Amino acid sequence: MTNVLTNRFHLKGAACDIQVYEQHGGYKALPKALKEFKPEQITEEVKKSVLRGRGGAGFPTGMKWSFVPKESKRPKYLVCNADESEPGTGKDRDLMRFDPHQLIEGMIIAGYALSSNTSYIYIRGEYWYIKEILEKAVAQAYAKGYLGKNILGSGFDHDLYVHPGAGAYICGEETALLESLEGKRGHPRLKPPFPAVVGLYGGPTVVNNVETLAVVPHIILNGGEWYKALGTEKSGGTKLFTVSGHVNRPGNYEVPMGYPLMSLINNECGGMLGGRKLKACIPGGSSVPILNAEDCEKMTLDYESAASVGTMLGSGGVIVMDETTDIFETTRNVTHFYKHESCGWCTPCREGTRWLYKVFERMHRYEGRPGDVELLYDLADKILGKSFCALGDAAAMPVQSAIKKFREDFERRIKHNIVQIQKAAD
Amino acid sequence: MLSQANEKKLDEIISHYPVKRSAILPALYLAQEEHGYVTDEDVKYLAQRLDMRVNEVEEVVTFYTMYSRKPVGKYKLQVCRTLSCMLMGAEQIAEHLEHKLKCGMNETTPDGKFTLMEVECLGYCDLAPCLQVNFDYHEKVTTESVDKLIESLK
């Protein structure tokens, strides 16, 4: 395992204390950034690292930062998206509860790069105890002069606040998150304008995932080229993957980009539970297309390889399913999730996810009508690319890919087919 | 109306933002902590306190699943139902709790002690199946460990 982001995890949370964090290499990058770098040089270094957003969309981080205008009449903001709620993902949870200062240090440096004086960590409400860990760490950082006015005599001021969400998956979408932070319902905003130009309170705003920001101190200390070289040519660095489901050792694992998916399952995770056979795997959180065992053999954990087998790296939530799993049932489960989490703003997503689930429900009772499998596929098609934000796509892609790869699990739910099967058996 | 201690906390929270309204989510947690749920008075009071209209507070409260507008049990037992937990047996945990407490989903036991809920992904996928009791997480739960947990909740 390559330890960059997880190199203090063995301290089992002791690094939450600022002294322990400092003893283990912490708050070395911040003074270096403030002394040796101009703000735009930090953005350049991040560009060299080819770091891409680790929340799910994979947008190049340095490029995102460079969209923020230098001069702005309104204050600029940095917002950390800690609303981790993509099913299958629990990596930001461990980054924050085991090493909160790593994130805070990354945020101060990012704030300096953007010439922003205020940042917020928007953390999902369920992670209340982690919010308390972060607040304690922030207070320690203030006491040491890493936050506040004139940080380490540099003339740069930065304030950081922790803000709780309240149980809405949609608030992980960056513009819905900003609406929520402004005290409203979490409805996504129309883009453009993008947040980098008009974001929080109308000011230029960068929203980055926890893992993305936690990488920043390492890029400053060791250089963008160094970080890039840890991974592949196009997908630089390392990434955290949360492995869940039917494996012997589920957990969070940091591996270099380009690491084979099957090695992660067989080595890090100790293989399949009970020695059973692999049937399917969702490699990037429940929103991305599902893979069959054959695809899994081919896939390495990087953006390009994921695309080549028709899926995405997403948030890095690897959900592993063995041969006993009914893919109809797992797809019904995630469809319920998207139906529940659709914010209700646009028609294709609000109505489409409900209608999808209605068909799933009757098939679940083995009362599927002839043509229901095609109906599901078609309904998903009517959502895909037609919704206001990406939640619609996230609901549609799992359904379509599951039908493509595991059609027999769906066909079994059609009443007509069951009668045929019974007749054949008699 | 909040307690003096919570009023002080709210003042501090409001100071984090350029507009008061941004404090509505944290403020609702304070109200809920004090009264067990978000009361009609809380909605009116917080609207006035944060320069919002009553309907604006109401639309926020009803959007986010972590707030309740009606009384709930002392312990909210929230069983995660989403994929990773489902794969590891969340349905059995949910059924077991329904039988044990003789209480359906989204219902409260007659003594007002427990409210049983099925919730969507809690972010403990690698530690599945998981259960949250109010704000406390319980990982890799089994029917046996859930029984012990229920006994320990007074």
Side-chain angles (χ1 to χ4, degrees), chain A residues 112-133:
Chain A
Y112 174 67
L114 301 164
S115 304
S116 155
N117 300 118
T118 313
S119 59
Y120 295 98
I121 299 175
Y122 184 104
I123 184 166
R124 65 177 300 178
E126 291 89 343
Y127 284 175
W128 198 264
Y129 77 100
I130 305 177
K131 175 180 165 277
E132 288 170 348
I133 290 172

Side-chain angles (χ1 to χ4, degrees), chain A residues 77 84-90 93-94 97 118 120 122 124-129 161-168 170-171 180-187 201 242-246 250-252 273 282 286 319-321 325 329-330 332-334 336-337 340-341 343 357, chain B residues 12-30 33 52 55-67 78 80-91 118-128 132 134-137 139-140:
Chain A
Y77 294 99
E84 180 167 72
S85 28
E86 174 71 17
T89 322
R93 175 198 77 213
D94 281 357
R97 67 175 176 166
T118 313
Y120 295 98
Y122 184 104
R124 65 177 300 178
E126 291 89 343
Y127 284 175
W128 198 264
Y129 77 100
Y161 306 103
V162 186
H163 181 97
I170 187 62
C171 292
S180 179
L181 193 44
E182 290 183 7
K184 301 170 200 160
R185 286 187 154 213
H187 289 311
Y201 309 119
T242 306
V243 189
S244 65
H246 301 143
N252 282 316
L273 205 57
I282 302 173
S286 69
I319 307 168
V320 181
M321 290 162 267
T325 315
E329 280 302 315
T330 62
R332 184 174 77 96
N333 180 282
V334 298
H336 183 283
F337 175 83
H340 184 265
E341 298 300 337
C343 79
Y357 194 68
Chain B
E12 153 71 16
I13 291 166
I14 291 171
S15 76
H16 298 171
Y17 314 97
V19 298
K20 280 188 181 176
R21 184 179 176 152
S22 278
I24 185 65
L25 295 187
L28 285 166
Y29 282 117
L30 293 177
E33 173 200 312
M52 294 169 76
N55 68 315
E56 288 174 331
V57 176
E58 197 74 77
E59 67 178 35
V60 169
V61 183
T62 52
F63 185 81
Y64 296 93
T65 56
M66 289 182 70
Y67 304 117
Q78 300 153 97
C80 176
R81 63 160 303 281
T82 319
L83 187 51
S84 303
C85 281
M86 170 202 154
L87 292 172
M88 302 310 283
E91 278 172 50
E118 260 183 329
V119 295
E120 297 292 351
C121 187
L122 291 169
Y124 261 50
C125 314
D126 52 324
L127 304 165
Q132 202 174 22
N134 297 341
F135 281 118
D136 295 331
Y137 274 97
E139 60 196 56
K140 296 186 177 174

Side-chain angles (χ1 to χ4, degrees), chain A residues 95-304:
Chain A
L95 283 170
M96 293 187 286
R97 67 175 176 166
F98 293 146
D99 204 356
H101 286 287
Q102 177 174 249
L103 169 63
I104 294 166
E105 187 174 10
M107 287 183 71
I108 306 167
I109 298 169
Y112 174 67
L114 301 164
S115 304
S116 155
N117 300 118
T118 313
S119 59
Y120 295 98
I121 299 175
Y122 184 104
I123 184 166
R124 65 177 300 178
E126 291 89 343
Y127 284 175
W128 198 264
Y129 77 100
I130 305 177
K131 175 180 165 277
E132 288 170 348
I133 290 172
L134 286 168
E135 282 170 339
K136 226 167 144 183
V138 167
Q140 288 182 333
Y142 269 104
K144 284 261 187 172
Y146 297 133
L147 277 168
K149 296 255 175 269
N150 190 20
I151 296 168
L152 305 175
S154 64
F156 172 64
D157 306 336
H158 198 78
D159 286 312
L160 195 160
Y161 306 103
V162 186
H163 181 97
Y169 170 72
I170 187 62
C171 292
E173 198 279 340
E174 62 176 7
T175 62
L177 185 153
L178 297 177
E179 285 286 297
S180 179
L181 193 44
E182 290 183 7
K184 301 170 200 160
R185 286 187 154 213
H187 289 311
R189 293 176 180 172
L190 190 67
K191 293 190 267 193
F194 287 91
V197 184
V198 183
L200 188 61
Y201 309 119
T205 305
V206 164
V207 184
N208 281 146
N209 170 256
V210 172
E211 187 181 348
T212 314
L213 288 163
V215 172
V216 173
H218 302 282
I219 292 177
I220 294 305
L221 279 179
N222 305 303
E225 296 288 351
W226 166 85
Y227 182 76
K228 180 183 167 183
L230 296 173
T232 66
E233 180 61 24
K234 282 186 182 162
S235 298
T238 64
K239 163 125 191 65
L240 257 72
F241 291 90
T242 306
V243 189
S244 65
H246 301 143
V247 291
N248 281 315
R249 286 194 299 271
N252 282 316
Y253 298 98
E254 181 178 17
V255 293
M257 284 284 192
Y259 194 72
L261 172 59
M262 289 313 294
S263 302
L264 178 67
I265 294 173
N266 290 327
N267 303 340
E268 273 75 9
C269 300
M272 299 295 294
L273 205 57
R276 288 190 290 270
K277 260 170 62 187
L278 174 71
K279 176 170 181 176
C281 174
I282 302 173
S286 69
S287 302
V288 309
I290 194 167
L291 301 177
N292 57 27
E294 198 184 316
D295 297 328
C296 292
E297 293 286 346
K298 286 185 254 171
M299 184 179 162
T300 55
L301 297 164
D302 53 272
Y303 297 100
E304 293 70 34

Side-chain angles (χ1 to χ4, degrees), chain B residues 2-152:
Chain B
L2 296 171
S3 68
Q4 249 185 332
N6 276 340
E7 284 292 347
K8 235 179 113 182
K9 271 190 205 166
L10 184 52
D11 281 330
E12 153 71 16
I13 291 166
I14 291 171
S15 76
H16 298 171
Y17 314 97
V19 298
K20 280 188 181 176
R21 184 179 176 152
S22 278
I24 185 65
L25 295 187
L28 285 166
Y29 282 117
L30 293 177
Q32 185 156 278
E33 173 200 312
E34 238 182 272
H35 305 126
Y37 67 106
V38 180
T39 65
D40 290 345
E41 287 69 36
D42 289 328
V43 172
K44 277 182 219 149
Y45 175 69
L46 291 177
Q48 171 240 319
R49 184 83 155 80
L50 300 176
D51 295 341
M52 294 169 76
R53 289 194 298 261
V54 171
N55 68 315
E56 288 174 331
V57 176
E58 197 74 77
E59 67 178 35
V60 169
V61 183
T62 52
F63 185 81
Y64 296 93
T65 56
M66 289 182 70
Y67 304 117
S68 178
R69 281 290 275 115
K70 50 180 203 275
V72 290
K74 185 178 175 193
Y75 299 107
K76 272 201 260 187
L77 304 175
Q78 300 153 97
V79 186
C80 176
R81 63 160 303 281
T82 319
L83 187 51
S84 303
C85 281
M86 170 202 154
L87 292 172
M88 302 310 283
E91 278 172 50
Q92 287 89 302
I93 301 293
E95 276 171 25
H96 180 73
L97 280 169
E98 283 180 321
H99 282 122
K100 189 174 173 70
L101 302 172
K102 297 184 183 64
C103 171
M105 284 297 157
N106 299 312
E107 287 174 15
T108 302
T109 52
D111 60 0
K113 200 167 163 189
F114 300 108
T115 297
L116 189 55
M117 305 162 89
E118 260 183 329
V119 295
E120 297 292 351
C121 187
L122 291 169
Y124 261 50
C125 314
D126 52 324
L127 304 165
C130 87
L131 169 73
Q132 202 174 22
V133 182
N134 297 341
F135 281 118
D136 295 331
Y137 274 97
H138 298 272
E139 60 196 56
K140 296 186 177 174
V141 292
T142 60
T143 48
E144 292 79 36
S145 75
V146 164
D147 283 344
K148 272 190 208 151
L149 175 66
I150 298 292
E151 296 305 315
S152 72

Side-chain angles (χ1 to χ4, degrees), chain A residues 310-329:
Chain A
T311 190
M312 290 181 280
L313 219 47
S315 60
V318 180
I319 307 168
V320 181
M321 290 162 267
D322 69 21
E323 56 191 331
T324 66
T325 315
D326 180 347
I327 303 303
F328 170 82
E329 280 302 315

